[in-house]
Amino acid sequence: MSTTEIVKEAESRHDFALIANWIQPQSKVLDLGCGNGSLLSFLREKLGVKGYGVDKDDDNVLACIGHGVNVIQMDLEAGLAGFDSLSFDYVILSQTLQAMVNTEGVLREMLRVGKQGIITFPNFGYWRHRIQLMAGHMPVSDNIPHQWYNTPNLHLCTIDDFEALCDKMNIRITDRIVINEGNTVSFMPNLFGSLAIYRFEQAAWPVSY
């Protein structure tokens, strides 16, 4: 698939468009778990961003190189020691959080190397997922497409779960958009939203007296 085709495919992704709305032109971006580089290609084409993708899969790394995306092959679980603190304007983790073993460590590293973090993840609390669980089955949907026996997902969470973790880690959520089938969900998002998109930053640590 050519770079033009990759960008065109990315343009059809509503979540990518929402992410782009939060990013300033010409900014520095680090895309963790970047896959084939489609998001970075899209942001580079539309906003002129500069940055790197990070992925551990051989095929994804080769795809990124083929699309002209700067990519580093590494395991996110090992940390981001190769990047200086606050060296990026934004660090993005798109639909990868649920596959992380050390969730808290990944979030800390995102906010160490980036001024702001952007995360998207499938909402396990979505009503269709709940019905499947009540019927005795692990949920399968557009955003959680794998069966229980071949899924890469380790830590599925709900919107409420993620916000509780941010509160525990003193992470300040600056923006949240919840969508379902491309439409924004405002009413009871933890029940009716299938995909959550967050922008966040490190809050000032409480002062000790």
Side-chain angles (χ1 to χ4, degrees):
M1 188 178 291
S2 68
T3 301
T4 301
E5 290 172 324
I6 283 287
V7 172
K8 187 174 181 179
E9 179 185 285
E11 287 175 340
S12 68
R13 293 272 302 267
H14 188 53
D15 55 332
F16 282 11
L18 294 171
I19 290 171
N21 288 339
W22 287 342
I23 292 179
Q24 293 296 314
Q26 309 300 320
S27 54
K28 294 182 66 178
V29 175
L30 181 64
D31 185 12
L32 304 178
C34 63
N36 64 4
S38 57
L39 177 56
L40 265 181
S41 295
F42 173 67
L43 295 176
R44 182 179 61 192
E45 179 72 19
K46 297 300 179 182
L47 299 170
V49 306
K50 299 178 181 179
Y52 294 89
V54 173
D55 208 287
K56 68 177 182 179
D57 182 81
D58 292 341
D59 291 338
N60 286 338
V61 170
L62 289 173
C64 286
I65 293 171
H67 302 141
V69 172
N70 295 321
V71 62
I72 297 173
Q73 186 169 25
M74 62 186 294
D75 187 351
L76 302 182
E77 303 285 2
L80 302 172
F83 298 104
D84 293 334
S85 297
L86 301 179
S87 53
F88 293 91
D89 298 303
Y90 307 94
V91 180
I92 302 172
L93 189 70
S94 178
Q95 299 200 48
T96 305
L97 180 69
Q98 68 276 5
M100 296 291 96
V101 174
N102 184 12
T103 304
E104 292 179 76
V106 170
L107 289 172
R108 288 193 188 97
E109 280 292 85
M110 288 180 70
L111 291 179
R112 180 185 68 80
V113 304
K115 298 171 185 175
Q116 291 189 325
I118 297 175
I119 272 184
T120 73
F121 60 86
N123 174 31
F124 201 61
Y126 178 47
W127 70 273
R128 292 186 184 276
H129 298 159
R130 301 186 193 206
I131 288 177
Q132 290 181 65
L133 285 169
M134 290 173 63
H137 300 284
M138 283 295 290
V140 177
S141 65
D142 289 343
N143 293 312
I144 307 177
H146 298 90
Q147 296 290 339
W148 67 269
Y149 51 82
N150 62 7
T151 180
N153 296 326
L154 301 172
H155 294 143
L156 290 162
C157 70
T158 71
I159 289 169
D160 290 351
D161 289 331
F162 179 74
E163 293 186 2
L165 177 60
C166 287
D167 185 61
K168 173 191 171 188
M169 296 182 64
N170 202 39
I171 292 173
R172 187 171 76 90
I173 295 169
T174 58
D175 290 286
R176 183 189 77 181
I177 300 175
V178 180
I179 61 175
N180 182 47
E181 296 180 350
N183 298 310
T184 301
V185 177
S186 300
F187 177 69
M188 298 183 70
N190 198 41
L191 182 62
F192 294 116
S194 59
L195 186 72
I197 308 168
Y198 284 87
R199 179 165 58 162
F200 55 93
E201 61 190 19
Q202 184 66 66
W205 291 101
V207 178
S208 299
Y209 294 97

